[in-house]
């Protein structure tokens, strides 16, 4: 994926599912890891994380798209594997293809569910 696409996907995710990305901010500093690897100068990408933790140690910052790709399975309507299964307690995502379109639709569905739950 190109870094400019990552930037657009991060912005789109924040538009369709803002409640999923509390504390998102525009990273005006360093290029993302993807932009750095590609040798591009893409900047001003919506990101989450960063800063320092309780002990004053630096925390990693991720683009909104990166964090969604790492954590989407925990936000979907997936049932957990039953007790005794080797993946016990983890979401059963069998049958879900994590394509870009499917991940964007999942984010929109999660946002819709979040709004309905907080009415």
């Amino acid at each position: 994926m190109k870094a400019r696409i990552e930037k657009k996907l991060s912005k789109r995710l924040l538009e369709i599912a803002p409640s999923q990305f509390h504390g998102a901010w525009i990273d005006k500093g360093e290029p993302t890891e993807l932009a750095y690897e590609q040798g591009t100068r893409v900047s001003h990408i919506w990101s989450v994380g960063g800063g320092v933790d309780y002990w004053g140690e630096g925390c990693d910052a991720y683009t909104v798209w990166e964090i969604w790709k790492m954590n989407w399975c925990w936000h979907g309507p997936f049932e957990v594997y039953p007790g005794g299964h080797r993946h016990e307690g983890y979401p059963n995502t069998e049958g879900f293809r994590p394509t870009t379109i499917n991940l964007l639709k999942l984010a929109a569905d999660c946002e819709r569910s979040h709004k309905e739950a907080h009415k």
Side-chain angles (χ1 to χ4, degrees):
M1 170 180 297
K2 294 192 180 234
R4 64 184 177 78
I5 301 299
E6 180 183 40
K7 179 178 180 175
K8 290 178 182 182
L9 288 171
S10 293
K11 182 178 179 183
R12 183 69 183 134
L13 267 174
L14 202 56
E15 290 170 351
I16 63 175
S19 70
Q20 302 296 317
F21 308 102
H22 296 287
W25 49 279
I26 294 180
D27 188 355
K28 297 178 183 175
E30 300 283 325
T32 64
E33 186 174 327
L34 185 60
Y36 182 78
E37 288 172 1
Q38 294 175 358
T40 60
R41 300 193 45 93
V42 176
S43 59
H44 294 82
I45 298 178
W46 282 101
S47 302
V48 292
V52 294
D53 62 13
Y54 177 80
W55 297 275
E57 306 225 350
C59 298
D60 291 335
Y62 298 96
T63 66
V64 169
W65 181 249
E66 282 178 311
I67 206 75
W68 183 247
K69 281 183 58 179
M70 287 188 282
N71 295 301
W72 60 267
C73 61
W74 298 103
H75 297 276
F78 308 111
E79 294 187 22
V80 296
Y81 284 103
H85 192 276
R86 71 175 215 199
H87 297 298
E88 177 181 345
Y90 286 92
N92 181 352
T93 59
E94 293 175 16
F96 181 84
R97 291 183 49 220
T99 63
T100 301
I101 294 292
N102 288 344
L103 290 175
L104 289 172
K105 286 179 184 177
L106 179 62
D109 292 344
C110 289
E111 184 68 16
R112 200 172 308 110
S113 297
H114 178 79
K115 286 182 178 178
E116 288 173 5
H118 290 90
K119 278 189 175 182

